[in-house]
Amino acid sequence: MVVKHIFIMNPAAGKGAAAKKLSEAINDACRAAGVQYEIYKTVGQGDATRFVRERISSKPEDEIYRFYACGGDGTLSEVVCGAANPDADKCPGALKNIEVGCIPVGTGNDFVRNFKNREFFSDITKQLLADSTLIDCYLCSDGNIGVNMINIGFDCDVVVNAAELKKNPLLPRGLAYIAGIASTLKKNLGRVITAKLADGTEITREFQLVSAANGGFCGGGFHSAPGSSLNDGLLDVSLINKVSRFDFIRLVGAYKKGTHLETKLGKKVVHYAKVKSVAFEFSEPANVCVDGEVRRLDRLALSVLPRAIAFAVPVGCEII
């Protein structure tokens, strides 16, 4: 079957500096390979999802469409939202002849950290030769579909603060998340949340950080969900109790490495579980970070969509 390669580019990703260079690389590689391709530049939030859905609705049956998200984790999430099978919880599997790829151009690019040799995601030729593998997604109660993770509390507040700090031209973008941590530590660290897990566990407590993960990484490389898998049909839920600033500083190094669950403090303050669904209720509206994009919500429910997309893995890469 004919594969059509469709590159969906967020012109603002990476401050927009990489857009022209990436377009040239795509043109050169696709022309050299003699493949069918097109480049679409998004015009605003949600446009990638709309574009993908419209293209799928008119796709010829004898063609395979591979949609590459060229941007950060937010762009990937929008493409996934348009391309994933929304009924995978009832009938696991991807939409027929629809694939999703990712060319990381953002600043965090956490999703590709779930793969060995992730630098190959920036090689267009290796992307064109990619094989697809089925991976899970998650369905949000507002109808959106994500692929990496959601964060509530400290992690999300850091994302908000880091986004503001990135606007400072004197601060290296790679340090924005670390600076965001320092800024967030000055504020109240806790938030009252009720977590209802599919295994019947219900906990209401003042938590410092809550996450539900399909992928393992957030915040530009923090390995916050070390037990996660992209294709196990489960979400990894992490509930971290409110702790003192001193204890948080003790824990954050291990949290970045993904070894926090093995520490004495981590075993004491972290409830970690693998479930098919989870619901969160907040004592007051809270920021929720969904695949890097922040929303203001008073509740959120999540459920796994098993093997909901066929994800294109570049030659030489594999899931960790």
Side-chain angles (χ1 to χ4, degrees):
M1 298 181 70
V2 175
V3 179
K4 185 163 188 178
H5 302 269
I6 304 173
F7 298 86
I8 301 173
M9 188 179 300
N10 178 359
K15 290 188 176 179
K20 182 178 179 181
K21 183 178 179 180
L22 178 58
S23 294
E24 292 173 351
I26 291 170
N27 286 324
D28 290 345
C30 291
R31 288 168 183 167
V35 299
Q36 293 187 26
Y37 79 102
E38 66 177 276
I39 298 174
Y40 176 78
K41 294 183 179 180
T42 59
V43 296
Q45 188 173 7
D47 188 48
T49 299
R50 177 204 60 78
F51 173 78
V52 170
R53 287 176 176 167
E54 288 184 358
R55 292 306 305 273
I56 290 175
S57 68
S58 60
K59 185 187 77 67
E61 290 187 7
D62 60 347
E63 290 187 3
I64 296 172
Y65 278 7
R66 180 182 292 173
F67 297 97
Y68 298 90
C70 306
D73 291 314
T75 303
L76 174 60
S77 186
E78 285 196 21
V79 172
V80 165
C81 192
N85 176 9
D87 298 316
D89 55 337
K90 305 178 186 69
C91 184
L95 297 178
K96 185 179 179 181
N97 296 332
I98 299 297
E99 299 177 355
V100 172
C102 174
I103 300 176
V105 190
T107 53
N109 301 318
D110 284 306
F111 185 75
V112 298
R113 297 177 191 275
N114 294 289
F115 297 83
K116 294 180 181 178
N117 300 321
R118 57 188 169 91
E119 65 274 13
F120 291 168
F121 278 88
S122 298
D123 187 318
I124 307 303
T125 299
K126 291 183 185 297
Q127 289 275 16
L128 298 177
L129 297 172
D131 288 325
S132 65
T133 187
L134 294 176
I135 65 172
D136 302 334
C137 298
Y138 60 85
L139 177 65
C140 301
S141 48
D142 63 2
N144 284 295
I145 297 173
V147 70
N148 193 42
M149 72 167 65
I150 69 102
N151 304 91
I152 308 162
F154 187 86
D155 260 3
C156 186
D157 293 340
V158 169
V159 169
V160 173
N161 290 330
E164 287 299 313
L165 290 165
K166 286 176 184 176
K167 298 176 183 178
N168 183 349
L170 300 179
L171 179 69
R173 294 179 69 81
L175 297 180
Y177 192 83
I178 301 298
I181 289 176
S183 175
T184 307
L185 275 172
K186 298 176 183 179
K187 305 174 184 178
N188 176 39
L189 300 181
R191 180 173 284 103
V192 177
I193 299 173
T194 296
K196 300 178 181 180
L197 281 62
D199 63 7
T201 301
E202 181 173 334
I203 305 173
T204 300
R205 193 173 297 163
E206 190 172 12
F207 291 108
Q208 183 164 324
L209 190 158
V210 167
S211 64
N214 182 44
F217 298 85
C218 68
F222 280 72
H223 199 181
S224 57
S228 67
S229 169
L230 295 178
N231 51 18
D232 63 356
L234 297 169
L235 289 170
D236 284 45
V237 175
S238 179
L239 309 171
I240 302 180
N241 297 344
K242 181 180 178 180
V243 296
S244 67
R245 287 176 175 82
F246 176 74
D247 280 343
F248 180 80
I249 292 170
R250 287 173 56 204
L251 188 63
V252 72
Y255 183 70
K256 181 173 178 58
K257 296 176 184 177
T259 59
H260 56 291
L261 300 177
E262 304 166 17
T263 67
K264 182 177 180 180
L265 179 58
K267 292 177 181 178
K268 180 180 178 181
V269 303
V270 182
H271 181 93
Y272 194 95
K274 299 176 77 73
V275 295
K276 291 185 177 181
S277 63
V278 61
F280 301 109
E281 296 178 0
F282 316 126
S283 58
E284 57 185 40
N287 290 330
V288 179
C289 187
V290 183
D291 286 0
E293 299 297 319
V294 178
R295 305 172 192 172
R296 190 78 173 170
L297 303 172
D298 57 10
R299 65 184 66 232
L300 176 68
L302 307 167
S303 58
V304 174
L305 293 174
R307 304 185 295 283
I309 60 170
F311 188 74
V313 181
V315 172
C317 296
E318 60 181 286
I319 297 175
I320 295 174

